[in-house]
Amino acid sequence: MFNNIGRFRDLSSWRKAFKAQWKQCRRTRISVPLNPKYRPDPYKWVCTCPYFVKSRFLLCKHLVQAVHPVDPVFFLEVQRNRTIPFWSHPSLIPLLPPTGPTLDSDAKGDDGVGSDDDGDGLVDTGNSVELNPGRETFHERLTAYIQTMRDFCDGLEYQRKFQDSRFLNTLERQGAGFFRLAENCLSREHRTNSTRSAAPTTWEQSTANVMFYRSRPVPSDRDT
Ligand SMILES: [Zn+2]
């Protein structure tokens, strides 16, 4: 890990962008009470807030503010991982011990509203993650795929300047199944949300592989 330390004397461009996003997350106020649906886990470096999965670097204010302030060397050395925890470095030290109360259960005490619970009062208890490991595994697996795709998209952009059609052919051949699925999901979603085109039928052959993909609401209906 320290073999190439000379290369990192200046921050590479992704590290600069990472640092900027980190600082912004550090500065951004976390509204109190914390939305009880958000479960930041700085040990696994995952959070269930929407900002986290959309973030190029898998950062959010909940996670960045759940660890002690980092040394400047952190930004030179931090390692990106393919699986949880997505970031690792000795100076990444959570504020709270792993067995102690998590941030979300902390904030839950101030909450007392639970307006979006379904009434049983059990949905958002601090223990629900432990009681329901399948759900967390789903979240972690999905996050790992999203991260791989985002990272790969950046890598694909880099290929542009080389114009090597051998790579493009490989991408098309090896990625065909994946791209077909993506196009089917997005096309079904587009048609579901479009007032002009016919609604997709359930058993249409071209879209049978998207039956478990939930279409996103049209932008004006989405949560912001
Ligand atoms: Zn978060």
Side-chain angles (χ1 to χ4, degrees), residues 31-91:
S31 49
V32 177
L34 183 66
N35 184 328
K37 292 199 169 96
Y38 299 167
R39 297 195 176 83
D41 183 338
Y43 289 89
K44 292 180 171 168
W45 205 264
V46 289
C47 182
T48 49
C49 76
Y51 186 88
F52 174 76
V53 284
K54 285 184 199 152
S55 156
R56 176 184 166 199
F57 297 115
L58 293 174
L59 296 178
C60 72
K61 60 187 179 182
H62 310 114
L63 288 170
V64 169
Q65 294 180 41
V67 294
H68 288 279
V70 292
D71 313 329
V73 74
F74 167 79
F75 298 106
L76 292 161
E77 294 176 352
V78 66
Q79 292 297 313
R80 174 160 41 180
N81 303 319
R82 291 267 161 232
T83 55
I84 58 163
F86 293 109
W87 293 103
S88 52
H89 189 266
S91 68

Side-chain angles (χ1 to χ4, degrees), residues 190-215:
H190 177 74
R191 292 164 60 204
T192 302
N193 289 336
S194 165
T195 50
R196 275 195 287 270
S197 42
T201 59
T202 310
W203 298 109
E204 221 173 309
Q205 199 191 355
S206 66
T207 57
N209 59 354
V210 308
M211 59 191 293
F212 301 120
Y213 175 81
R214 268 73 160 191
S215 296

Side-chain angles (χ1 to χ4, degrees), residues 10-23:
D10 296 315
L11 289 182
S12 57
S13 65
W14 77 260
R15 283 180 185 275
K16 272 187 197 136
F18 173 86
K19 186 175 178 180
Q21 200 184 339
W22 182 280
K23 301 257 169 190

Side-chain angles (χ1 to χ4, degrees), residues 9 33 41 60 65 69 79 90 123 149 159 170 174 196 208:
R9 204 167 294 127
D41 183 338
C60 72
Q65 294 180 41
Q79 292 297 313
V123 173
M149 281 187 272
Q159 304 309 310
T170 307
Q174 307 277 329
R196 275 195 287 270

